[in-house]
Amino acid sequence: MGGVLKSFYIKSISIIFILCLGILVYSNAFYCSFHLDDVISIVNNSFIRDFSNLHSIWNALPRRFILYLSLALNYHFHQLDVFGYHVFNLAVHLGSAILVWCFVFLTLSTPAMKGQSAGGSGKDISRHAHLVALLAGLVFVSHPLQIEAVTYIVQRAASLATFFYLATLCLYIQSRLLDEARPDSRVGQFCYVLSVATAIMAMYTKEIAITLPLMIVLYEFSFLKKKGSLNWGRLIPFVLTLFIIPVTMFLTESAKAQAMRGALPEGPTDISPFHYLLTEFRVMVTYLRLLFFPVNLNLDYDYPVAQSIFDLPTIASFLFLTIILIMAKRLWITHRLISFSIFWFFLALVPESSVLPIKDVIFEHRLYLPMVGYSLFLVCGAFYLLGPHDGHSPVLGKNSIKVMVLLLAVLITINAILTYQRNAIWKDEIILWTDTVQKSPHKSRPYFALGYAYFQKGDFIHALSNYNKALEISPEFVEVYINRGNTYNQVKNYDQAISDFTKALELRPKFAPAYYSLASLYVNLDKRSQAIYYLTKKVKINTAIAPLCLTKSMAGTITIPSFGHNNLHLIQEDCTSYLTDDQPIARKNRSYVEDENSLSASRNLGSTSKPNFCALCTSTRARS
């Protein structure tokens, strides 16, 4: 009984340590602003406005239903107050760190680790399971690379998927251990059923979870499998979850979901699968460098696409990664934990660093799930190098454990300080994008984003300066012309604004925001016939293009007979669903339509006032 109480006490202290460190390093992140994809996924996302409307939330993006359900929950309680979103994100991160602790502890409790089948040091490290698990959890919770998946709100997709991923593994391992001790254990059966449920939730959170069934098989081979073949009957439910993501994508490509995906640059890219794979060889080496030396972190890396396998950086990276994998295979017998942690890292990266091209080749939040492998590798590696073997350490003698803990504590402290400092940079858009511009001075998107941040603050001089720099780098960046044109509109340089909008249409003739912006400008100039011309030239009124209702109402001279009273009602609904009441421009323009509904059919829409309309393309977006 005393041993049980002692174990409970140690586990409780471990969890408290992890929670306290995590809260401390993210204590300055609760009021960081919305960034990048947060605008399209939260601020302007009509699908998450009603938490009780599961059909609408499903239509946001079916294959990420759990993610958008969590955002809808946040919006239900907090609307657009960032504090609640950050509390949720931190809770997920802390939960994931605790699951890392649990996962490592359970792994060290498997018969393979307590015996000799996982290497000669299995017994030694298992004797210190509480300590090793705690250190792994602290490494995971404090690493600076985790910031992008925690402080960047919508990237909870990575942290939440990892939470369910780890929960599945922990529940599955627990069910297997209980089954070994007592085959008819009801608790073991419950854990198994719950593990299947969390696996399904992981699949519906983010696509990185597609590796989960493979990870379970790898774990079985590493720590649970006895002599003979695997028990596929136990594994089949997890194997079947492999089909959830592709089947969901195939069956639920609704118009609304497709429209939302179209707003995000995560669709087809100019990078071929082969060149993307070559690039990812270098990216994975960069990831390894960032794991061990997390300095000069960057939201938007300026990373070159590899052109040939014979490029020196590409072939060197490929050879380096091959050597690591060969070492992992050779360590399988003698140091099973080290081997498994390396395979975890590479397997977790497969969905985003293989042959499926993504527009942005590198992002730090993609390391959230691989970080589990790194945490295990670092702590176990330190133990194998410095810890006791067969009761003693050939290097450090009796103080080996103390020295190992001290070194890891210093590393965790340094990482915690770096995390706290990096969070301060995420405080608002101007600070964040100024930092990004300094680190990616030859990339146009950071200047574009910084320009828009200044635009939102009303600093049009700095906004124009950054837009000009973005166009120097990328002269065909259409969205920059729209934003710069809107900025010129604000400072009443209408000729230059018209020039920018026209240039945007030359580059992309069917780019709707250019028409919206031109219409807005001509409303400001009291040239309403031109406004109607650009509203009706290429874009037809329909419920799929909600922003059109704003510009139609601004034009002020469209009569109801020109598009019908029923359509007017649809426009009102679009305004209501597309933008929230928290946005003054939405309230103002929607009021035009609402007022019109109460008037006769011969009356014109609109008002003599001139609303300041900025095209909805102004938010910068990054692939999640």
Side-chain angles (χ1 to χ4, degrees), residues 473-538:
I473 298 170
S474 302
E476 296 186 356
F477 198 156
V478 175
E479 288 80 3
V480 181
Y481 285 105
I482 298 297
N483 282 19
R484 191 174 72 171
N486 284 319
T487 308
Y488 280 128
N489 194 1
Q490 289 293 314
V491 299
K492 303 186 185 306
N493 188 342
Y494 299 122
D495 290 339
Q496 188 60 54
I498 292 172
S499 175
D500 277 350
F501 297 148
T502 303
K503 179 65 175 179
L505 287 175
E506 290 176 3
L507 294 170
R508 199 182 302 173
K510 295 183 180 180
F511 192 49
Y515 292 100
Y516 304 152
S517 297
L518 276 167
S520 174
L521 185 149
Y522 282 119
V523 167
N524 288 341
L525 295 177
D526 283 326
K527 296 181 179 180
R528 301 196 174 190
S529 60
Q530 288 95 326
I532 295 176
Y533 171 80
Y534 282 105
L535 287 172
T536 57
K537 172 117 176 128
K538 291 286 186 181

Side-chain angles (χ1 to χ4, degrees), residues 95 184 337 438 459:
D184 60 345
L337 281 170
Q438 292 171 350
D459 188 344

Side-chain angles (χ1 to χ4, degrees), residues 28-314:
N28 61 340
F30 290 112
Y31 292 98
C32 292
S33 62
F34 290 118
H35 301 289
L36 289 169
D37 288 355
D38 292 339
V39 176
I40 189 70
S41 296
I42 302 171
V43 178
N44 291 335
N45 187 1
S46 64
F47 296 111
I48 65 169
R49 293 298 182 255
D50 184 0
F51 182 67
S52 64
N53 190 344
L54 297 181
H55 178 72
S56 176
I57 298 170
W58 172 264
N59 281 336
L61 196 58
R63 68 178 186 265
R64 295 191 183 183
F65 172 69
I66 298 298
L67 166 65
Y68 284 97
L69 184 66
S70 73
L71 294 174
L73 178 66
N74 265 135
Y75 187 83
H76 177 76
F77 288 106
H78 310 104
Q79 282 71 54
L80 297 179
D81 181 359
V82 295
F83 179 81
Y85 293 86
H86 285 299
V87 169
F88 186 98
N89 276 26
L90 180 56
V92 171
H93 182 51
L94 295 176
S96 297
I98 292 171
L99 286 172
V100 169
W101 163 80
C102 181
F103 172 73
V104 175
F105 183 81
L106 286 172
T107 299
L108 294 174
S109 301
T110 59
M113 291 307 302
K114 288 184 175 180
Q116 295 295 326
S117 61
S121 300
K123 285 185 177 180
D124 293 315
I125 197 170
S126 293
R127 293 191 189 102
H128 299 86
H130 286 292
L131 178 61
V132 172
L134 171 61
L135 291 171
L138 293 175
V139 170
F140 182 89
V141 81
S142 63
H143 202 287
L145 280 174
Q146 306 290 59
I147 290 174
E148 212 171 88
V150 182
T151 306
Y152 181 5
I153 294 171
V154 78
Q155 292 309 334
R156 72 169 58 161
S159 58
L160 192 56
T162 298
F163 175 85
F164 290 124
Y165 197 109
L166 288 168
T168 300
L169 283 166
C170 289
L171 288 165
Y172 179 79
I173 298 166
Q174 185 65 60
S175 73
R176 292 284 279 113
L177 293 177
L178 289 171
D179 187 57
E180 289 290 331
R182 185 179 174 185
D184 60 345
S185 171
R186 292 292 181 88
V187 177
Q189 293 171 3
F190 177 76
C191 288
Y192 177 77
V193 172
L194 198 56
S195 70
V196 175
T198 54
I200 294 171
M201 295 179 76
M203 294 293 177
Y204 276 113
T205 304
K206 191 178 181 183
E207 296 80 357
I208 58 174
I210 202 167
T211 62
L212 179 54
L214 302 177
M215 194 68 76
I216 292 175
V217 173
L218 175 63
Y219 193 93
E220 276 278 357
F221 273 108
S222 301
F223 305 109
L224 298 174
K225 177 180 174 292
K226 295 183 178 180
K227 294 181 179 179
S229 60
L230 291 176
N231 183 352
W232 285 103
R234 183 186 295 273
L235 296 174
I236 282 177
F238 298 101
V239 174
L240 291 176
T241 62
L242 282 169
F243 298 97
I244 289 177
I245 294 172
V247 170
T248 301
M249 292 175 64
F250 178 76
L251 295 178
T252 62
E253 294 297 320
S254 65
K256 290 185 178 180
Q258 187 62 40
M260 188 166 192
R261 279 192 295 277
L264 297 168
E266 58 177 282
T269 174
D270 293 334
I271 308 174
S272 70
F274 178 68
H275 288 100
Y276 185 80
L277 177 62
L278 295 183
T279 304
E280 290 305 302
F281 291 148
R282 286 191 61 201
V283 168
M284 283 188 276
V285 173
T286 300
Y287 284 155
L288 288 171
R289 190 268 297 173
L290 290 172
L291 285 169
F292 289 96
F293 303 100
V295 294
N296 291 323
L297 302 186
N298 189 356
L299 174 58
D300 198 2
Y301 288 85
D302 189 6
Y303 215 88
V305 176
Q307 300 302 317
S308 170
I309 194 172
F310 298 107
D311 291 342
L312 182 58
T314 301

Side-chain angles (χ1 to χ4, degrees), residues 359-425:
K359 187 170 185 177
D360 294 290
V361 299
I362 180 172
F363 261 123
E364 290 166 8
H365 65 259
R366 294 175 188 167
L367 282 171
Y368 194 87
L369 179 57
M371 182 69 70
V372 178
Y374 166 78
S375 302
L376 182 62
F377 175 88
L378 184 69
V379 177
C380 293
F383 184 91
Y384 286 139
L385 286 174
L386 305 174
H389 303 283
D390 297 325
H392 67 279
S393 172
V395 179
L396 301 170
K398 297 180 179 180
N399 295 321
S400 59
I401 289 293
K402 293 180 180 179
V403 173
M404 180 197 75
V405 171
L406 178 62
L407 291 176
L408 287 175
V410 170
L411 178 62
I412 291 168
T413 301
I414 293 172
N415 282 344
I417 293 171
L418 292 174
T419 298
Y420 188 86
Q421 292 176 338
R422 179 69 179 165
N423 271 320
I425 293 174

